[in-house]
Amino acid sequence: MTSLICTLQDHRDDVNWCAFSGKLFATCSGDKTLRVYNTHDFSELPFSPLTGHGYTVHCCCFTSCGQFLASCSTDATTLVWSMSTGEIEAVLEHPGRSPVRICALSPDSAHLVSGASDGSLALWDFPSKQLLRSGAVSDTTMVACCFSPCSQLFMTGSTYGDLRLWDLDMNQLHAEKNAHDLGVTCCTFAPSILSGGQSVQFCLASCGQDSHLKIWAVNKSGCGGYKMQLLHTLTGQSAPVLCCAFSSDGQLLVSGSVDKTVVIYDARNAMLLYTLNQHERLVTACCFSPTSPLIATGSMDKTVNIWRLEDGCSDRGGKSLPELSALPSSEGRTSAGRSRLLVSDWSEGDVSAWLVEEGLEGLVDRFRANNIDGTELLSLTKETLASELHIESVGLRSKLQRKVEELKSDSVCSGIPDEFLCPITRELMREPVIAADGYSYEREAIEGWINTKNRSSPMTNLPLLTTLLTANHTLKMAIGRWQTSC
């Protein structure tokens, strides 16, 4: 389910964009200001609001570490702000002095691209704040831009309706004409990279005035050429879709529309999960937090809503995830539900239920009195059984230890879905992350692999294009639901 945790009402005009970093959250507006909040409690920072633009602020984005915030405006500038002081670090004047409608930072924070109302593009070296190259698409307005997860490519979208892929030399690698009838409004890359054989694939979402949200595969072939393939057209909203964003694990996709709704999709299966009806006017901005299950949505009603994604059924007006249900308490789990947990995750109640199933019910009170949970159970030895639990019968101690050894050898339930197992350790994942090859791994396992295996993929044996790891919150939630289901 989703729950509304707070509404920010500080702007005096339309909210045009919002962005998260790990610890901060920023919004920008037609009131010429940006506002910056602490994501811990969404209190506004002392130096907020930021007042440096002369006209409407259209877009804002953080560097990957959250040290800087970039914003662009109708005043034909892109400003770079320090998130330590709130001061302006640099003023990037767009070539031709045309109103800047969109800006985007590369994931490695090495480059910034800005797009303007006259169809021009500017590529900046971000560390030096120097203009590297410029280009243009005639007879259109640039309104959308995003970098690929490898930071070496960027996609632009325009009011003409096309999507264009560029490299850092401003070479146009591919043009998808008429991607959206009447114009593109937003585009965003999923954070993961899929690679296999001689090909590399990115996933892109785009939305437009045609009321559609589209998911594309952007493929690079062995010969170096690129092509785009339409995978899904999502029609969960009844009016132009103005904004879209992927979750940090690439498994969820959110969009906002002129019909005042926010829709959350399962991006992998193109399934509508939730519809949120809280805004009173057009929804113009949306984004996911990279570090927690939060979504922010901004609107022409001058508000920003912060939503938390939780297990359970969807709230008002939304469709529910079929697999979500109310979770039973640990005391009420059946043996089937308990067996889906790692033994080390068992509660004291789970241990008691196991003792009864194994014909050791006489030990239940003794185990409860000593607060023996799953972790303690696995650490029991002959010595502790005698000295701490005071089990005097040698035969009973031997039987109990034999049963514990069987638990250790079984490790976890044999019925664990394969997608919940780390490909490296073949154990149930606790902190799943997505690597550059598109596969999910246990964080500790893939970090160890990268440090010792020359940065190759454990699944494909191909070089990893980046060692960046993205937390797979959706998979972690799914594992949690599976563990507690009966």
Side-chain angles (χ1 to χ4, degrees):
M1 63 179 291
T2 57
S3 58
L4 180 62
I5 62 173
C6 70
T7 298
L8 308 177
Q9 304 180 72
D10 299 307
H11 283 298
R12 294 174 296 168
D13 206 335
D14 303 348
V15 176
N16 293 326
W17 204 272
C18 57
F20 276 103
S21 70
K23 297 181 179 179
L24 300 176
F25 174 67
T27 61
C28 62
S29 168
D31 64 10
K32 309 176 188 179
T33 71
L34 296 99
R35 292 184 178 268
V36 186
Y37 304 86
N38 187 320
T39 57
H40 175 68
D41 57 4
F42 288 94
S43 58
E44 194 164 5
L45 297 191
F47 56 69
S48 181
L50 305 179
T51 55
H53 284 292
Y55 296 99
T56 293
V57 187
H58 293 287
C59 180
C60 59
C61 51
F62 284 101
T63 53
S64 57
C65 62
Q67 183 178 1
F68 298 103
L69 177 69
S71 61
C72 62
S73 167
T74 301
D75 63 13
T77 67
T78 299
L79 300 184
V80 179
W81 309 82
S82 166
M83 289 295 95
S84 298
T85 65
E87 298 294 324
I88 296 175
E89 292 283 322
V91 178
L92 311 180
E93 295 189 357
H94 196 82
R97 298 292 299 168
S98 182
V100 184
R101 295 290 303 277
I102 190 70
C103 61
L105 278 159
S106 60
D108 61 5
S109 301
H111 296 93
L112 181 145
V113 66
S114 56
S117 294
D118 62 357
S120 61
L121 290 167
L123 182 67
W124 307 82
D125 177 78
F126 189 76
S128 67
K129 313 300 188 293
Q130 297 297 309
L131 179 66
L132 293 177
R133 299 170 188 86
S134 60
V137 178
S138 60
D139 301 323
T140 192
T141 294
M142 288 293 175
V143 293
C145 183
C146 59
F147 273 92
S148 66
C150 66
S151 298
Q152 301 304 304
L153 308 167
F154 62 92
M155 187 75 72
T156 61
S158 73
T159 53
Y160 190 76
D162 57 344
L163 291 166
R164 296 174 186 267
L165 184 66
W166 310 75
D167 64 16
L168 297 181
D169 292 321
M170 295 292 283
N171 296 313
Q172 193 175 136
L173 305 177
H174 179 80
E176 190 71 23
K177 300 294 184 65
N178 301 313
H180 289 274
D181 190 24
L182 304 177
V184 175
T185 53
C186 186
C187 62
T188 179
F189 275 104
S192 58
I193 306 169
L194 302 179
S195 59
Q198 297 292 315
S199 65
V200 175
Q201 183 182 96
F202 306 99
C203 183
L204 177 85
S206 65
C207 55
Q209 298 289 344
D210 55 5
S211 306
H212 292 162
L213 176 62
K214 296 183 177 182
I215 300 177
W216 309 81
V218 181
N219 298 294
K220 179 184 180 181
S221 63
C223 61
Y226 286 86
K227 64 178 181 178
M228 290 176 61
Q229 176 188 1
L230 180 61
L231 300 179
H232 306 288
T233 298
L234 307 176
T235 58
Q237 289 161 307
S238 60
V241 183
L242 302 180
C243 54
C244 60
F246 278 104
S247 60
S248 60
D249 56 19
Q251 297 199 33
L252 297 178
L253 181 62
V254 63
S255 62
S257 170
V258 172
D259 68 9
K260 308 176 189 177
T261 68
V262 175
V263 172
I264 303 170
Y265 297 92
D266 176 341
R268 299 287 175 86
N269 299 305
M271 180 191 304
L272 192 154
L273 303 180
Y274 310 107
T275 298
L276 310 177
N277 298 281
Q278 192 71 23
H279 286 293
E280 297 178 356
R281 296 191 64 195
L282 290 65
V283 180
T284 51
C286 60
C287 62
F288 280 90
S289 165
T291 57
S292 57
L294 298 177
I295 298 175
T297 59
S299 169
M300 289 180 68
D301 62 13
K302 307 177 187 178
T303 70
V304 177
N305 287 330
I306 308 297
W307 308 83
R308 182 179 296 279
L309 285 170
E310 300 170 344
D311 289 343
C313 300
S314 78
D315 57 359
R316 46 191 177 279
K319 296 185 179 180
S320 63
L321 259 168
E323 64 193 33
L324 300 182
S325 59
L327 302 181
S329 67
S330 60
E331 294 293 327
R333 292 193 197 106
T334 65
S335 60
R338 186 186 66 253
S339 68
R340 295 186 176 195
L341 293 171
L342 290 171
V343 176
S344 58
D345 289 334
W346 283 9
S347 67
E348 294 175 27
D350 292 327
V351 172
S352 297
W354 173 77
L355 289 170
V356 172
E357 291 172 8
E358 298 298 336
L360 298 168
E361 56 272 9
L363 297 176
V364 169
D365 291 340
R366 193 170 305 188
F367 271 56
R368 281 186 176 275
N370 287 274
N371 304 117
I372 304 297
D373 59 13
T375 301
E376 293 288 337
L377 178 66
L378 293 177
S379 65
L380 292 177
T381 64
K382 288 182 179 180
E383 291 73 22
T384 56
L385 289 175
S387 62
E388 297 181 18
L389 294 181
H390 306 293
I391 300 175
E392 298 178 359
S393 169
V394 176
L396 185 57
R397 289 202 302 266
S398 298
K399 179 180 180 181
L400 179 57
Q401 191 168 23
R402 186 170 63 252
K403 294 295 184 182
V404 171
E405 290 302 320
E406 289 175 3
L407 281 179
K408 291 179 180 179
S409 64
D410 290 343
S411 181
V412 291
C413 168
S414 61
I416 296 177
D418 192 64
E419 61 268 26
F420 294 168
L421 299 175
C422 173
I424 298 174
T425 65
R426 299 303 297 169
E427 295 178 354
L428 187 67
M429 288 183 277
R430 295 173 178 269
E431 292 295 331
V433 295
I434 301 174
D437 59 3
Y439 291 93
S440 290
Y441 303 91
E442 176 63 32
R443 180 182 291 278
E444 184 177 357
I446 187 63
E447 287 177 345
W449 178 280
I450 289 172
N451 291 334
T452 59
K453 298 292 183 179
N454 198 27
R455 297 187 177 181
S456 63
S457 164
M459 298 298 287
T460 67
N461 208 33
L462 295 172
L464 293 170
L465 298 183
T466 174
T467 57
L468 180 68
L469 302 174
T470 304
N472 194 334
H473 295 298
T474 305
L475 179 57
K476 187 174 181 178
M477 290 167 63
I479 291 172
R481 291 194 301 270
W482 175 83
Q483 286 179 313
T484 53
S485 64
C486 296

